[in-house]
Amino acid sequence: MPTPLPLCYLSGEYLPLTQARVSPLDRAFLFADAVYEVMPVYARRPFRFVAHCERLAASLRQLGMEDPHSQQQWHEIIATLIERNAAHNSAEHCYVYWQVTRGAEYGRNHTPLPQIERTVFAFCAPLVLPDAAALERGVSCVTALDNRWGRCDIKSTALLANLLLREQAAQAGAAETILLRDGTLTEGSASAVHVVLHGELVSPAQSAQVLPSLTRGAVEKMAARAGITVRSAPISEAQLRAADEVMLAAATREVIAVTRLDGAAVGPGRPGPVWRAIHAGLQQYKQELAARPW
């Protein structure tokens, strides 16, 4: 992973990331009582900023918290953070991670107290996208049972199960672990998963077991632009393994083809035409947005 850029934001202050400190009694530290967002930034322009703000607010509502900032305030915080780090970023692009915790109280209390001050934290890091060679060959993935908690639609910092599942991929020399629950596809340990069945792009139906991925939304938009039928439906393990194409979508890797699954080739074992159309469309979409205010 790339080294983070040096300046961060912490509850009203911009300061060196190495000097940022939070209380050990913060509920994010004790209980993972927090939500977060990861947003790609292309040439200093955040990608789908409003949608990220809306998802953050939705996650906070599920935890019984109000968003501590308006969209305009988030805009100012993130714009300042990007600008102050710009001189330190040799990469063309970066990503912003931002997090809201319920805050710290004096003690360890299982019952959340709504009146305590929220902790807000954000930092940037260079965005290193798959290179041309990786895009041309695709990636290998493994499958595993989805043993995460039942509210994966909340973008919570409670990611231990995701980390352990991603470690399975790392140990197998794979890029991602694709998850199955009750015999159907949910998502990856850190990505959305799409399959191509008979020329159609199919994604798992939105539910409490699936994060409402914003990159997934962009992928589906690009597919529709290219004239590809897009639909959401349950995807069985058999359909996953027999799919013409499989692809991953995530903020820090955009969309990339899966060419091997549990050691077996996906389709012909190389990136397919639907992925190529979507990837090309996404690059064009980024150029379109570059000229628009965010």
Side-chain angles (χ1 to χ4, degrees):
M1 293 294 292
T3 301
L5 299 175
L7 299 177
C8 73
Y9 174 88
L10 180 60
S11 296
E13 183 179 2
Y14 298 91
L15 72 164
L17 181 58
T18 56
Q19 296 177 18
R21 301 290 185 269
V22 296
S23 169
L25 294 174
D26 194 288
R27 293 180 62 85
F29 183 75
L30 296 176
F31 299 112
D33 191 1
V35 300
Y36 74 101
E37 285 293 322
V38 177
M39 177 175 62
V41 177
Y42 301 109
R44 301 194 192 182
R45 188 199 185 281
F47 184 71
R48 305 196 70 192
F49 164 73
V50 171
H52 280 280
C53 285
E54 291 173 347
R55 185 172 65 178
L56 180 79
S59 292
L60 286 167
R61 284 194 299 271
Q62 293 297 321
L63 271 61
M65 288 191 274
E66 292 185 2
D67 194 327
H69 295 305
S70 66
Q71 282 190 15
Q72 182 58 41
Q73 289 171 326
W74 281 122
H75 190 289
E76 293 171 2
I77 290 168
I78 291 170
T80 302
L81 186 62
I82 294 168
E83 184 63 29
R84 292 192 181 186
N85 276 298
H88 306 281
N89 187 13
S90 59
E92 183 181 2
H93 311 306
C94 70
Y95 70 83
V96 175
Y97 174 99
W98 81 95
Q99 172 179 304
V100 177
T101 90
R102 199 177 300 272
E105 58 181 305
Y106 195 66
R108 185 176 181 273
N109 177 20
H110 280 73
T111 303
L113 298 178
Q115 70 271 24
I116 60 178
E117 183 179 357
R118 307 295 178 235
T119 302
V120 178
F121 170 64
F123 75 93
C124 301
L127 180 62
V128 181
L129 297 172
D131 61 20
L135 292 173
E136 189 59 32
R137 67 174 178 267
V139 297
S140 298
C141 294
V142 295
T143 59
L145 295 178
D146 189 346
N147 59 5
R148 302 169 301 162
W149 76 314
R151 290 304 308 274
C152 298
D153 57 317
I154 301 172
K155 199 166 178 65
S156 162
T157 59
L159 294 172
L160 179 58
N162 299 69
L163 299 180
L164 295 175
L165 288 162
R166 186 62 170 267
E167 178 62 17
Q168 291 185 32
Q171 291 179 357
E176 177 64 298
T177 302
I178 292 177
L179 308 178
L180 297 159
R181 188 188 293 260
D182 299 325
T184 60
L185 170 67
T186 52
E187 55 192 346
S189 67
S191 60
V193 181
H194 306 268
V195 303
V196 177
L197 301 172
H198 308 296
E200 297 181 338
L201 185 75
V202 187
S203 310
Q206 295 286 4
S207 71
Q209 282 74 51
V210 177
L211 179 75
S213 165
L214 298 181
T215 312
R216 164 181 167 160
V219 164
E220 292 174 342
K221 181 182 180 74
M222 295 307 101
R225 276 191 179 189
I228 298 162
T229 299
V230 176
R231 62 186 177 93
S232 297
I235 300 166
S236 69
E237 180 176 356
Q239 287 176 312
L240 170 66
R241 297 190 185 282
D244 301 318
E245 299 180 43
V246 177
M247 61 192 80
L248 307 175
T252 56
R253 60 178 24 165
E254 296 188 345
V255 58
I256 190 164
V258 177
T259 50
R260 298 194 70 82
L261 185 62
D262 291 331
V266 174
R270 59 182 181 273
V274 173
W275 171 81
R276 292 184 185 280
I278 291 170
H279 183 265
L282 185 59
Q283 306 317 303
Q284 178 61 39
Y285 184 46
K286 286 157 51 179
Q287 292 180 19
E288 292 172 17
L289 293 180
R292 303 178 192 172
W294 59 279

